Amino acid sequence: VAFGMFLFLSLNDYKAFRSKLPGELWGMMSFGFSFLAADELFELHRFLGRNLPFLKEANIHSEPGYAIFVVYVLLALAVLYAYRSDLLRNKFASRALLAGIGFQILAVALDAYGKFWRREEALEIAGATLWLVAVVYYAYDEIVSYVEFRLENM
């Protein structure tokens, strides 16, 4: 959905239309969600944690890959902070996005302790679902604005 919106805004009369969410944010969201899906599928954080010597030597956790999640969270927080005014315009979508982030953080915390894997997977699915709901609401808002813009400028 995020990648579709990125393409939609890139291929249409983007300069005349004032998008509610900037095209680069849609691009970052599509890359970020794709990267997180690849990380979940291929366990990139575990691979990086085992193969980056400074993480092994730091002895932060029995699974050094969890330190990689800190980097993910910091990058996500930086993007959220940079685009906070744009993201907060749609109250429902921003609440769903923040709730999804909360579920994902809780899932990572439970996964780090290893005893709660069933609950952790459910929280990951709930968080991803809330992210999808948020992105769909942002996309819907964007498309409605674009249609109104095109109708006014016919």
Side-chain angles (χ1 to χ4, degrees), residues 1 15 26 36-37 50 57 76 116 118-119 137 143 151:
V1 174
K15 291 180 175 64
W26 284 108
L36 289 175
R50 290 185 195 124
E57 294 166 6
F116 305 101
R118 288 185 185 142
R119 290 177 188 93
Y137 267 84
I143 291 169
L151 290 173

Side-chain angles (χ1 to χ4, degrees), residues 8-18 146 149-150:
F8 172 76
L9 291 172
S10 298
L11 297 175
N12 284 298
D13 190 12
Y14 180 60
K15 291 180 175 64
F17 171 64
R18 170 62 181 121
Y146 187 78
F149 169 78
R150 296 304 273 177

Side-chain angles (χ1 to χ4, degrees), residues 38-74:
D39 182 89
E40 180 70 19
L41 182 63
F42 300 114
E43 294 190 336
L44 298 174
H45 62 281
R46 293 187 200 278
F47 174 79
L48 290 172
R50 290 185 195 124
N51 292 302
L52 293 174
F54 65 90
L55 284 178
K56 283 187 202 176
E57 294 166 6
N59 201 15
I60 298 170
H61 189 275
S62 60
E63 177 60 55
Y66 288 110
I68 300 297
F69 281 124
V70 173
V71 175
Y72 295 172
V73 169
L74 292 176

Side-chain angles (χ1 to χ4, degrees), residues 15-124:
K15 291 180 175 64
F17 171 64
R18 170 62 181 121
S19 173
K20 290 190 175 184
L21 292 181
E24 62 269 10
L25 178 60
W26 284 108
M28 284 188 278
M29 283 195 303
S30 66
F31 174 78
F33 292 141
S34 299
F35 182 80
L36 289 175
D39 182 89
E40 180 70 19
L41 182 63
F42 300 114
E43 294 190 336
L44 298 174
H45 62 281
R46 293 187 200 278
F47 174 79
L48 290 172
R50 290 185 195 124
N51 292 302
L52 293 174
F54 65 90
L55 284 178
K56 283 187 202 176
E57 294 166 6
N59 201 15
I60 298 170
H61 189 275
S62 60
E63 177 60 55
Y66 288 110
I68 300 297
F69 281 124
V70 173
V71 175
Y72 295 172
V73 169
L74 292 176
L75 287 172
L77 289 175
V79 170
L80 289 173
Y81 183 77
Y83 292 97
R84 68 189 176 282
S85 62
D86 297 314
L87 291 168
L88 292 174
R89 286 184 189 152
N90 187 323
K91 290 187 189 300
F92 179 81
S94 62
R95 289 178 185 153
L97 184 69
L98 292 173
I101 290 169
F103 277 112
Q104 292 292 334
I105 289 172
L106 188 57
V108 169
L110 289 177
D111 191 32
Y113 287 103
K115 299 175 187 174
F116 305 101
W117 66 271
R118 288 185 185 142
R119 290 177 188 93
E120 176 260 334
E121 291 296 329
L123 289 171
E124 277 185 12

